[in-house]
Amino acid sequence: DDGATLNESWDTVWTARTTVTREGWFAEIRIPLSSIGFKVGADGTVVMGLTVTRLISRLGERVTFPEIDPKFEFRRPSQAQDVVLTGLRTKTPVYITPYALGGASRRLSSAGTIERSTAREAGLDIRAPISSQLTLDLTANTDFAQVEADDQQVNLDRFPLFYPERRRLFQEGSGIFDFTGAGGSRLFHSRRIGLATDFTPVRILGGGRLVGRAGPWDLGALAMQTERTTSTPAEHFDVLRLRRRVLNSHSTAGIMLTTYFGGGRRNLGTGLDGSFRVGGDHYLTLKWAASVDSEEPDGVSLLDRSQFDLRWERRTGRGLGYTASLARSGPD
């Protein structure tokens, strides 16, 4: 969608070094090309888009390369400088990340005896690129000990907060699963996986993710299984997302399916969406989403459990910009 969807939580294998000299402060960041999906052309060249941005806080000034008209968002891929690279070979390294935890404790009971207990934990994450543009992630007894904490927020309305995804297992390609409708509603939010209704963490027993591009299609598939606890049943989540370009290079159409099984309850969600560049900076966005739940009483129609969102906008940072939207949410 030409930068309209942005994944700020993307992370990969990278290294950085900094130094201070008489000329100033310098930083060098190295990202392996194998961490970036790219396609080698028939002539052996690779074309990438490059945008370099410098923010001068004391002046409130932003400088970009290439020169980008202020009417465009500087993150737009269509405005990036084409860089042609030669002599590159695609590599698909497999990353295996095991972990093991152990502990022992002793406590003095009220009867004066010493009680001993041990704890053992082990798990495994595997990242295996199927191709240079399609990546498979597998996990068993996932460990999230290194996930950074969220910024605290105070919620004063009845709508839920959607914290960004910080768990590396769910980060790569997470933008493909973004299906946001009217009022900020979401058809799927990965942070709900591994979280009980009382917001306590639940163990993820295992699962897998497949994200990337297959031919003309943007593809996202996910399957996860969580552990049963005293307060939460074992839960299984499935998500499938497909999207591709239509009409022109700045227009897309897609479909999304979600399923949930847990504690005898079943839920099926589906969504259709399209973002069409009509001409110039004018865009038309259409989204429809609905769900069917096993706990709903008889007589509830799909229209009652659906949401429709229509939006007409001019995406520009200079001159007249506007957004007109129409939304309908079913009563159920």
Side-chain angles (χ1 to χ4, degrees):
D1 202 11
D2 199 18
T5 301
L6 181 66
N7 177 15
E8 293 184 334
S9 63
W10 179 78
D11 197 6
T12 186
V13 178
W14 59 281
T15 59
R17 295 290 186 271
T18 60
T19 184
V20 177
T21 70
R22 286 182 292 181
E23 297 182 13
W25 178 85
F26 296 86
E28 179 180 315
I29 301 173
R30 302 179 64 187
I31 303 176
L33 285 172
S34 58
S35 297
I36 303 175
F38 61 89
K39 186 177 181 180
V40 179
D43 56 354
T45 62
V46 176
V47 181
M48 293 187 180
L50 172 68
T51 302
V52 181
T53 303
R54 179 191 180 197
L55 180 63
I56 308 175
S57 300
R58 61 186 175 86
L59 299 178
E61 179 180 309
R62 184 185 298 278
V63 183
T64 64
F65 172 83
E67 181 181 356
I68 297 177
D69 192 307
K71 77 173 186 177
F72 295 117
E73 170 65 36
F74 71 91
R75 294 188 178 97
R76 281 197 182 185
S78 63
Q79 302 302 311
Q81 172 70 43
D82 283 346
V83 177
V84 179
L85 305 176
T86 59
L88 293 185
R89 296 191 306 270
T90 58
K91 292 183 179 180
T92 54
V94 176
Y95 295 93
I96 301 176
T97 311
Y99 79 92
L101 304 174
S105 64
R106 295 188 303 171
R107 63 182 293 269
L108 183 64
S109 67
S110 58
T113 60
I114 296 178
E115 298 178 350
R116 295 178 173 85
S117 62
T118 59
R120 294 183 297 272
E121 200 76 52
L124 181 69
D125 291 335
I126 299 176
R127 182 177 182 269
I130 305 301
S131 68
S132 62
Q133 295 182 300
L134 195 61
T135 302
L136 174 65
D137 288 286
L138 300 173
T139 183
N141 195 18
T142 317
D143 175 39
F144 298 123
Q146 298 185 48
V147 178
E148 63 178 292
D150 292 305
D151 294 332
Q152 185 175 2
Q153 299 184 43
V154 179
N155 190 6
L156 299 179
D157 59 35
R158 63 188 179 94
F159 300 103
L161 297 174
F162 293 102
Y163 285 96
E165 184 60 81
R166 302 182 186 275
R167 301 175 294 182
R168 176 171 287 188
L169 172 66
F170 295 99
Q171 284 183 334
E172 180 164 350
S174 61
I176 185 67
F177 296 106
D178 187 15
F179 195 107
T180 305
S185 61
R186 302 193 182 191
L187 188 59
F188 170 71
H189 187 51
S190 61
R191 284 291 297 265
R192 298 296 176 88
I193 300 177
L195 199 65
T197 55
D198 58 356
F199 303 109
T200 57
V202 177
R203 184 194 307 272
I204 295 180
L205 297 179
R209 290 174 79 249
L210 183 66
V211 294
R213 175 165 290 180
W217 293 93
D218 293 327
L219 168 66
L222 177 147
M224 291 288 164
Q225 178 69 43
T226 64
E227 185 183 43
R228 179 182 179 181
T229 67
T230 55
S231 60
T232 305
E235 298 177 313
H236 184 82
F237 302 84
D238 292 306
V239 183
L240 175 64
R241 174 68 158 147
L242 294 170
R243 184 177 61 198
R244 65 171 297 168
R245 291 181 180 178
V246 294
L247 303 180
N248 54 61
S249 59
H250 297 289
S251 301
T252 61
I255 184 174
M256 188 170 187
L257 299 172
T258 70
T259 63
Y260 168 86
F261 304 93
R265 176 192 166 205
R266 296 189 175 190
N267 182 281
L268 171 66
T270 181
L272 300 172
D273 67 330
S275 177
F276 308 102
R277 184 182 183 183
V278 181
D281 300 321
H282 300 276
Y283 286 80
L284 173 66
T285 302
L286 299 171
K287 292 186 179 182
W288 176 83
S291 65
V292 179
D293 197 280
S294 60
E295 295 184 350
E296 280 296 322
D298 296 335
V300 176
S301 68
L302 190 64
L303 187 62
D304 294 333
R305 291 183 57 85
S306 68
Q307 185 180 74
F308 177 76
D309 186 17
L310 182 150
R311 182 175 304 166
W312 178 271
E313 59 186 331
R314 182 169 188 252
R315 301 175 183 175
T316 181
R318 171 179 286 178
L320 177 65
Y322 58 83
T323 300
S325 61
L326 174 67
R328 181 195 182 276
S329 297
D332 297 300

